[in-house]
Amino acid sequence: MGKKYEYWTVKDGEDFAINLEIVSFTSTKGSFSSQASDPDEYFGSQGLEWKATEPTDWMSESEIASMEEWLANEHSEYLADLDYFD
């Protein structure tokens, strides 16, 4: 199984933890070339597939987007640490 994370948010005025698991993660570095044909080639790209053990249907689209951004950053840092310490 993939790496697991605990994301904290507020639900009904109470702190609420959502357990997330990375299903797949891809990342490419950009070339930063002015000749790049598309933004992904210039900036790179990141693909993240995750699953939650708790329902997230009560969350708004912006809350889910924030959670996904947090998850992508946490997982990128985790992978960078693995590369550094290996």
Side-chain angles (χ1 to χ4, degrees):
M1 289 289 164
K3 173 86 171 122
K4 296 180 180 179
Y5 296 90
E6 189 174 65
Y7 179 76
W8 285 91
T9 189
V10 176
K11 179 181 178 184
D12 300 326
E14 299 286 326
D15 289 342
F16 185 75
I18 299 174
N19 294 302
L20 302 167
E21 183 176 348
I22 300 293
V23 175
S24 69
F25 179 78
T26 58
S27 181
T28 61
K29 291 187 179 193
S31 65
F32 301 105
S33 166
S34 60
Q35 304 301 315
S37 60
D38 63 58
D40 283 352
E41 187 180 336
Y42 184 81
F43 293 109
S45 64
Q46 209 171 55
L48 180 69
E49 186 180 345
W50 55 272
K51 66 179 180 179
T53 56
E54 293 77 17
T56 58
D57 55 343
W58 57 271
M59 296 174 74
S60 70
E61 284 184 32
S62 66
E63 289 172 318
I64 289 178
S66 293
M67 180 179 68
E68 287 177 338
E69 183 178 341
W70 173 86
L71 184 59
N73 289 334
E74 288 293 309
H75 195 62
S76 293
E77 287 181 25
Y78 166 74
L79 293 176
D81 286 347
L82 283 181
D83 287 345
Y84 179 78
F85 291 110
D86 277 349

